[in-house]
Amino acid sequence: MNFEFSEEQKILKATIRNFAEREIRPIISKMENENYFPYEIIKKLGQLGMLGGYANNIDTISSAIIIEEISRISPAIGVIISVHNTLVCNGIFEFGTEEQKRRYLPDLISGNAIGAYALTESQAGSNPLEMNTSYKKVNDKYIINGRKIWITNGPQARYILLYAVENKNNPKNSMTCFIIDTKREGFQIGIIHNKLGLKGSYSCEIILDNYTAYKDEILGNEHEGYKIAMKLLTGGRIGIAAQSLGLSIGAYELALNYSKQREQFGKKISEFQIIQYYLSEMITRIYASRLLTYYAAYLKDKGQNCRLEASMAKLYASETANFVVDRAVQIFGSLGYAMDFDIQRYYRDARVLTIYEGTSEIQRIIIAREILK
Ligand SMILES: Cc1cc2nc3c(=O)[nH]c(=O)nc-3n(C[C@H](O)[C@H](O)[C@H](O)COP(=O)(O)OP(=O)(O)OC[C@H]3O[C@@H](n4cnc5c(N)ncnc54)[C@H](O)[C@@H]3O)c2cc1C
């Protein structure tokens, strides 16, 4: 049994930590105040070789390291990268033809193109089988119509893995994953969602109005979309677990430092037993999140089924992040409630972690299904 990162992984962790401190920290306030999308960071991550997931020889453990370290400073950039790497790049790498890999991956790896993943619709959230987005085959063309919501990276994406059904009465066996080119006629951005947190990361509605796709733009086989969507979400959940872990560490560090500076009753507040109890509980749960996240990543890299472990990691790490930010705000007292202090950003950013890529309720259902089968 080995609980240590390899030498390469340690170097990667130090490199990305350094990059996040040097390049990302200075633009946080611009992202927060102007909802600024950090194109230049995405490009620089591409230059550093941090984009592309498996397609760029980045295994799941390394991918989790990258997302964790970025999310320690910016959970918003964490989710941009998680969607791009774990869902889109890994998706094309795993299910794409050689021609599709040649066509799409170089730009996605360099950061010249950003990827998005479009499954959710207004009536089809936890249950994607209720989707209305559909396609009709007309000779060699596939005409797609429908509306997706909450699509992360939607406004910036060049390519979107989008799911549509051929037969609404049989969605499971007729769902197909298309690689959408957002520059083509028939593609449109709808409303941009106004979010509680993750400022600088965009989620939007997307509209397909007689969008024409071709056979060589189907990812995997036609009608295998549901299987592909679920398989990719398993990997994606490890990314969100890593995002949750990084966010937890960022908030914990702020609270720890503050507790060692703030004095009340003639003592540092870190000397009060109740604050020590909070901090010890926070760090213990963070360690547990880390073990679950990297264990799921390890299994995925070994090619083993990690559906159970990915859901446990996502469930536990996302709920831990919400626990940690709540205690961190408590340790900051009134300053935790002040918009001038960074801890409120972590508090707001954490809230979505138990919702996207499968809510906590859905993770519990998957876990129960896996252990009972
Ligand atoms: C910021 C953000 C980014 C997102 N990015 C993307 C993206 O890039 N691509 C994409 O496709 N989607 C994205 N989503 C959508 C997200 O995945 C969905 O919001 C999520 O799956 C939940 O769906 P819903 O919001 O419709 O909630 P609902 O499914 O309506 O659920 C409402 C409540 O009911 C509970 N519930 C539902 N079914 C059950 C059940 N069977 N048993 C018990 N409880 C249940 C849920 O857990 C939840 O608490 C994003 C969402 C947000 C907020």
Side-chain angles (χ1 to χ4, degrees), residues 101-129:
K101 290 179 196 174
R102 269 196 299 276
R103 196 184 315 156
Y104 302 111
L105 288 175
D107 278 348
L108 290 166
I109 289 172
S110 69
N112 281 337
I114 293 172
Y117 178 94
L119 187 63
T120 303
E121 298 178 15
S122 58
Q123 75 301 334
S126 297
N127 183 10
L129 292 176

Side-chain angles (χ1 to χ4, degrees), residues 333-370:
S334 58
L335 300 186
Y337 201 63
M339 291 305 280
D340 318 337
F341 283 77
D342 214 19
I343 196 66
Q344 51 75 28
R345 176 171 62 93
Y346 288 87
Y347 187 81
R348 287 182 293 105
D349 285 359
R351 195 59 195 87
V352 74
L353 299 170
T354 59
I355 296 173
Y356 57 27
E357 298 210 19
T359 62
S360 281
E361 291 75 18
I362 295 301
Q363 301 313 322
R364 285 184 168 91
I365 290 171
I366 296 170
I367 292 165
R369 202 182 287 144
E370 289 294 310

Side-chain angles (χ1 to χ4, degrees), residues 113-145:
I114 293 172
Y117 178 94
L119 187 63
T120 303
E121 298 178 15
S122 58
Q123 75 301 334
S126 297
N127 183 10
L129 292 176
E130 288 179 39
M131 78 170 51
N132 279 331
T133 299
S134 62
Y135 71 92
K136 219 182 247 165
K137 237 184 281 183
V138 182
N139 302 321
D140 62 337
K141 294 176 184 152
Y142 300 76
I143 311 298
I144 310 175
N145 281 288

Side-chain angles (χ1 to χ4, degrees), residues 244-263:
S244 305
L245 174 61
L247 183 152
S248 300
I249 293 169
Y252 163 80
E253 287 173 349
L254 288 179
L256 178 67
N257 289 338
Y258 183 73
S259 75
K260 292 197 279 192
Q261 286 159 18
R262 172 74 172 166
E263 289 185 9

